Amino acid sequence: MTRPLLSASILSADFGRLADQVQAAEAAGVDWIHVDVMDGHFVPNLTLGPPVIAAIRRATKLPLDVHLMISNPEHYLKQYVEAGADWLGVHVEVAWHLDRLLQQIKELGAKATVTLNPATPLSSLEVVLPTVDMVLLMTVNPGFGGQEFIPATWPKIRHLRQQLDALPHPPLLQVDGGVNLSNIAALRQAGVDVFVAGSAIFGGGDIAGNVRRLREALEKSRPIQPPA
Ligand code: DX5
Ligand code: ZN
């Protein structure tokens, strides 16, 4: 288990002031900036592409955690790494050749994230777990910010933590969707390393206060260590 990392999802930011909002999140002490790329095909929403990521890259020194929610991701990996993605995530549901895609991300010089929808089983990860850099478990159905955390994903998170703890070099465990003050401490106790939060950081306008409260909740929580 690593120290908990907060990744601020700009999906809930004011896109008209994107650089300012990213810099406010950085000043508030988030660890990463999470960028949601949606194609209107894999998910029922459209967001942004490489030029906007390049603009965010110019606005912050923080690592960019890019979450691709697009069909045919194999056509676009290079563009996203060149635009500034430090971490690049693909969904297993659209990966014809998952292991190849993840290796290609690494060869391009980025860290590789494998992402699962809430209803996609952990068994789809079996072959890639020892080599991938991070596993992102979606805790809402992807496409929109501000949705409610799906409670049925709790056992999945705990089960994945057990699987990761059995590896010599475990990837990070990230969750995305409905993370907020009411559940972040319990998620940490369940063994989550990286917390994506959109509306819980950018909602209501008090970015500094929102980040401070999330951090306080994290500090109060202690992960339950697996038995030796
Ligand atoms: C949803 C996106 C999330 C979204 C999370 O498809 O992947 O990153 O921004 O938003 P909240 O934290 O508001 O649930
Ligand atoms: Zn996301």
Side-chain angles (χ1 to χ4, degrees), residues 89-137:
V90 290
H91 270 260
V92 300
E93 299 84 5
V94 286
W96 289 102
H97 303 286
L98 181 62
D99 184 66
R100 176 184 288 151
L101 270 185
L102 296 170
Q103 298 310 328
Q104 284 174 343
I105 292 171
K106 293 202 214 194
E107 283 161 19
L108 289 164
K111 299 278 195 183
T113 304
V114 60
T115 308
L116 267 64
N117 278 339
T120 303
L122 292 177
S123 55
S124 57
L125 294 174
E126 188 178 341
V127 167
V128 302
L129 267 192
T131 52
V132 76
D133 297 302
M134 182 159 71
V135 180
L136 167 49
L137 293 186

Side-chain angles (χ1 to χ4, degrees), residues 43-165:
V43 289
N45 197 3
L46 275 169
T47 53
L48 49 84
V52 178
I53 291 180
I56 297 169
R57 176 70 292 160
R58 291 192 293 274
T60 179
K61 292 192 169 50
L62 292 179
L64 299 188
D65 168 29
V66 176
H67 176 189
L68 295 182
M69 285 161 275
I70 62 174
S71 301
N72 305 116
E74 63 276 9
H75 297 164
Y76 305 99
L77 302 179
K78 191 161 184 274
Q79 284 183 57
Y80 283 99
V81 175
E82 285 177 353
D86 298 283
W87 291 80
L88 190 58
V90 290
H91 270 260
V92 300
E93 299 84 5
V94 286
W96 289 102
H97 303 286
L98 181 62
D99 184 66
R100 176 184 288 151
L101 270 185
L102 296 170
Q103 298 310 328
Q104 284 174 343
I105 292 171
K106 293 202 214 194
E107 283 161 19
L108 289 164
K111 299 278 195 183
T113 304
V114 60
T115 308
L116 267 64
N117 278 339
T120 303
L122 292 177
S123 55
S124 57
L125 294 174
E126 188 178 341
V127 167
V128 302
L129 267 192
T131 52
V132 76
D133 297 302
M134 182 159 71
V135 180
L136 167 49
L137 293 186
M138 290 306 300
T139 43
V140 297
N141 290 300
F144 304 94
Q147 302 182 81
E148 292 222 350
F149 184 96
I150 296 173
T153 59
W154 279 112
K156 193 177 179 187
I157 295 166
R158 295 193 183 100
H159 190 194
L160 177 60
R161 183 72 257 166
Q162 289 174 352
Q163 292 182 14
L164 299 184
D165 286 338

Side-chain angles (χ1 to χ4, degrees), residues 9 34-36 67 69 136 138 176 196:
S9 174
H34 181 88
V35 187
D36 291 303
H67 176 189
M69 285 161 275
L136 167 49
M138 290 306 300
D176 181 7
V196 177

Side-chain angles (χ1 to χ4, degrees), residues 185-196:
L187 285 165
R188 178 62 179 164
Q189 283 175 339
V192 172
D193 301 300
V194 188
F195 303 83
V196 177

